[in-house]
Amino acid sequence: MIRSYASKLGNSRPIYKLSLNDSKSRINSRLVNKYSPRPDLLDPISTLVCYHFMERLVGDKYIKDYEGIEKAVIMGIKNEFKKFIVCYGGFKNARQSGIHRFLNTYATPPPEVVDGLVYLYRYARLHGMSGGTMIGAFTDTDQKHIDNILAILELMRSKFEPKS
Amino acid sequence: MGVFDDKRYDQLDWVSQAVQPIETPLAALLDRLPESTKIDFELITCNHPNGELDRETIISSMIRKFHPGYSMSWKEKDLINECFEFDIRSPELIVNLENRTLTGEVYLVKTKFSIEEDKLKSVLGEHGREEIGKLHSHRMDHTRTNEMLDLLEDCEVAIASRSGKTKKLALNDRLRQIFTNNEWKIKSTDLADKIGFWIKAYIDNGDLAALSNISRLKVMTYKEAPIYSIEETT
């Protein structure tokens, strides 16, 4: 899913402006028109993908680093949810909770978990969750959304948490 | 001519004998390197496709071309590198990888045509010291190492030590001290570099030719005259 978002974005053109350092011992290079993707502000996933946009030079052209983008986006989403659990999970010790530990389990989660987290993130953002510190992210009227998010996270945990 | 005479010194004209300049193959090397090299697209993208390039890359390949097999210490390389600068001779320099072009002109130009005496003093024996740094301190022959330390003088503490590392560091430090203070009055970077190689060869393999060379050099230092060359045993 993240890849399909990223594939719609463009790439930089490999044109560089060169300059000398102060001691004239080295030629430095700067990309002339670095591609900066414009996010669809109404779609939180698009914003996240654009924020973590990465590309690398292969041969004589830039290609998107899909793996890097996906890892960075998922890391960002997991961090948001971890903060969410601390603020709204209602746990005595949120960092020791099952959901928090589940979010820490995978460095690269399986595709089903990735898709689940992405859809859930979109749901959360579209229903009041703001990014950042999470404090005051939800109002009292959003309690049903908070419950939904926690329930889905708990379900994901019970389904995808590796059995030890 | 005796075995302890410096043939190279005797060949110098009276002005050079009075001035006693430091002789170095670096001067000849610098002479052979081109005064100006135009950097084209292929050259500018040889290190990194985005055109980032340092002068060391170009100069090293030129040295490989003009002096194949010539090896230098890092300090000597720096001395040569400092004689060159990049010069952009157009308002803008653009590398386009799409159509593989370099717009604008850039050259690597020689800005210094000789190396100052003070800087040469700082590289005396450096290559040889780098060789001593490669000695395996844990399996070096302590008897031979002590002989070398004794020959260099002022290394009593290292001779008494049972640690190979201490001995190796002492060899290196003492050599640096000798060259910095010009104690042996050596006036050739080539000869100064050989000292480290001889010491390593003797300690590593018990090379008697190396021992003979360094002993002969040591005897020559008692004359307190500048030393440019010795009659080497091979």
Side-chain angles (χ1 to χ4, degrees), chain B residues 13-45:
Chain B
D13 56 73
W14 69 271
V15 179
S16 299
Q17 285 190 352
V19 178
Q20 298 173 2
I22 293 178
E23 279 198 346
T24 173
L26 292 180
L29 174 71
L30 184 61
D31 255 2
R32 290 196 68 184
L33 298 178
E35 285 180 23
S36 173
T37 309
K38 188 174 183 184
I39 313 285
D40 58 10
F41 177 81
E42 298 300 329
L43 213 48
I44 208 153
T45 53

Side-chain angles (χ1 to χ4, degrees), chain A residues 13-14 16 18 24 27 29, chain B residues 50 53 86 93 95 97-98:
Chain A
R13 291 180 64 200
Y16 305 92
L18 307 181
K24 296 185 178 178
I27 298 175
S29 163
Chain B
N50 70 6
L53 185 68
F86 282 115
L93 197 61
V95 167
L97 289 186
E98 283 176 341

